[in-house]
Amino acid sequence: MKRVAVLGSTGSIGRQAVEVIRANSGSLVVHSLVCNRNVDLLAAQSREFPGAVCGVLDPAASVPAGFLQGAGVTEEAVEGCDIVLNAFTGFAGLRASLLAARLEIPLALANKESLVTGGCLLADHIRKGLLSPVDSEHSTIARCLAGEAVRPLSVTLTASGGALRDLPLSSLADASPGMVLAHPTWSMGPRITVDSATLVNKAFEVIEARWLFPDLPVDAVLHPQSIVHSFVRLADGSWKALTGSPDMRVPIQYALLGGSGEPGLSMSDGPLDWPSLTFGRIDPARYPAYSIVIAAGELGGAAPVAANAADEVAVEAFLAGRIGFGRIPEVIENALGKTGAAPVSSYGDVLRADEEARARSRAFLGERC
Ligand code: MG
């Protein structure tokens, strides 16, 4: 039995992870459940898994007796587990990934900010084979490479293009949060759904892929139906891909089971709509933030940290109705313009770069820091 620490158990990935564990009760068991502040859902989850350690990060939340609470909860939650599923949202998730790396615990990583901002701090964990991606694209690449004898040459990530991909360019700047959150193919949390509409999510995934598959060139292509989940080009002239319905439980289950054994959760929702599949180039006029974040990734050091911090501030402001959709790339560009590629070699460096970029972005938006 593999004991799973589910970090971020009440979010979209966390809830689906609990479902995957439930369906694989012969091989997976919940070791601990940690959430930010959704105490009601955590309490319901804890009733289903009475032996699990339960923790709430928010020190102000009102929690039932027996629950752990506060910033130190994650440390206690991972103690004694066999695998950490890190489904925390945003930059705050990096700390948990570094904790798993320090303790040499296998990490199923759904928190992409960990690799975008702290990739260099997780490179050893990746080299040791202890990091499994829980992102459909990277999970696909890992599956295509597993057991493949032919040398891979490059990887191509697919991007749905988000909710606004068919909106006239002239209306893009004024798109409302409601329009952006209506993702056509994937059901995900709010920030990643906005990041899908700007393609910042895809640029982050390119950065992630460079850490996960360091020897391979990475690019991305639009694929609105989200049926082909990425490609690997092989030296014998073939392209390998994984196709299937857009369902995050597939990569979650693959990461938790480690690609071995018969999966307990079987998903069959009928034949795929093959004739509908299309591919296209990423249009820089529609997705200006994509190229900005890709360039930050190429610069490295503090640049991707700043890109992520600025994007978190911008998305939060957009979802709260304080800025228009069209201003998101501007906020990221502003943060980068003043950051440069200062080297990053410790968590402290990353934290500093993150805080500076957040403060700059808030000041740029005229918000109080
Ligand atoms: Mg993805």
Side-chain angles (χ1 to χ4, degrees):
M1 288 295 265
K2 211 186 263 187
R3 292 161 296 179
V4 188
V6 186
L7 308 181
S9 70
T10 58
S12 168
I13 295 287
R15 282 181 274 124
Q16 295 180 75
V18 166
E19 200 182 323
V20 165
I21 296 169
R22 186 186 297 133
N24 287 278
S25 58
S27 48
L28 300 173
V29 63
V30 171
H31 175 74
S32 54
L33 300 158
V34 178
C35 76
N36 193 18
R37 62 174 69 90
N38 190 346
V39 179
D40 289 346
L41 181 52
L42 188 73
Q45 290 176 334
S46 83
R47 282 193 287 279
E48 186 182 350
F49 304 102
V53 172
C54 291
V56 178
L57 291 173
D58 185 350
S62 139
V63 305
F67 279 26
L68 305 170
Q69 186 171 24
V73 154
T74 308
E75 277 76 358
E76 293 191 60
V78 306
E79 203 182 306
C81 78
D82 300 307
I83 185 165
V84 171
L85 174 82
N86 184 358
F88 282 150
T89 306
F91 175 70
L94 173 60
R95 257 189 82 235
S97 295
L98 296 179
L99 177 68
R102 195 165 63 242
L103 300 173
E104 304 208 353
I105 302 173
L107 173 63
L109 184 62
N111 173 266
K112 63 187 66 193
E113 293 79 2
S114 289
L115 283 175
V116 171
T117 65
C120 64
L121 309 176
L122 292 167
D124 269 349
H125 209 53
I126 294 168
R127 254 193 306 276
K128 291 174 192 161
L130 293 176
L131 197 152
S132 326
V134 181
D135 202 340
S136 59
E137 296 79 359
H138 308 84
S139 173
T140 290
I141 297 162
R143 281 178 83 159
C144 287
L145 294 174
E148 176 55 62
V150 180
R151 187 165 53 89
L153 295 180
S154 66
V155 303
T156 300
L157 309 181
T158 49
S160 72
L164 308 181
R165 66 188 178 213
D166 299 322
L167 199 71
L169 274 181
S170 55
S171 320
L172 214 53
D174 301 318
S176 68
M179 291 159 76
V180 174
L181 290 178
H183 196 283
T185 50
W186 289 100
S187 158
M188 306 175 290
R191 181 191 176 207
I192 188 171
T193 306
V194 178
D195 283 347
S196 292
T198 56
L199 279 202
V200 163
N201 178 56
K202 202 52 53 181
F204 284 165
E205 290 180 352
V206 169
I207 298 172
E208 269 187 288
R210 289 194 175 129
W211 287 111
L212 289 166
F213 313 105
D215 304 324
L216 300 174
V218 184
D219 66 356
V221 65
L222 275 191
H223 171 47
Q225 298 80 23
S226 306
I227 295 296
V228 180
H229 301 308
S230 291
F231 301 91
V232 175
R233 184 159 70 98
L234 299 172
D236 66 354
S238 46
W239 289 75
K240 219 170 158 182
L242 189 79
T243 65
S245 301
D247 187 326
M248 284 308 293
R249 294 173 302 172
V250 177
I252 294 169
Q253 181 166 254
Y254 186 76
L256 291 182
L257 294 178
S260 65
E262 182 65 27
L265 194 65
S266 57
M267 281 158 276
S268 133
D269 31 43
L272 293 174
D273 184 12
W274 296 111
S276 75
L277 301 194
T278 56
F279 297 89
R281 269 185 233 291
I282 292 173
D283 175 6
R286 182 173 289 279
Y287 301 106
Y290 176 75
S291 331
I292 297 169
V293 178
I294 288 285
E298 280 162 4
L299 266 178
V305 184
N308 176 69
D311 181 64
E312 285 195 22
V313 171
V315 169
E316 197 187 306
F318 167 67
L319 288 175
R322 295 195 298 271
I323 64 168
F325 181 76
R327 289 200 71 199
I328 296 174
E330 231 180 275
V331 179
I332 304 172
E333 204 162 33
N334 167 73
L336 286 170
K338 289 162 190 155
T339 298
V344 162
S345 58
S346 68
Y347 179 59
D349 292 344
V350 177
L351 206 56
R352 244 183 323 277
D354 174 82
E355 280 166 1
E356 282 169 20
R358 263 169 222 277
R360 263 200 303 279
S361 304
R362 295 212 172 93
F364 181 69
L365 293 177
E367 295 174 4
R368 277 207 325 239
C369 297

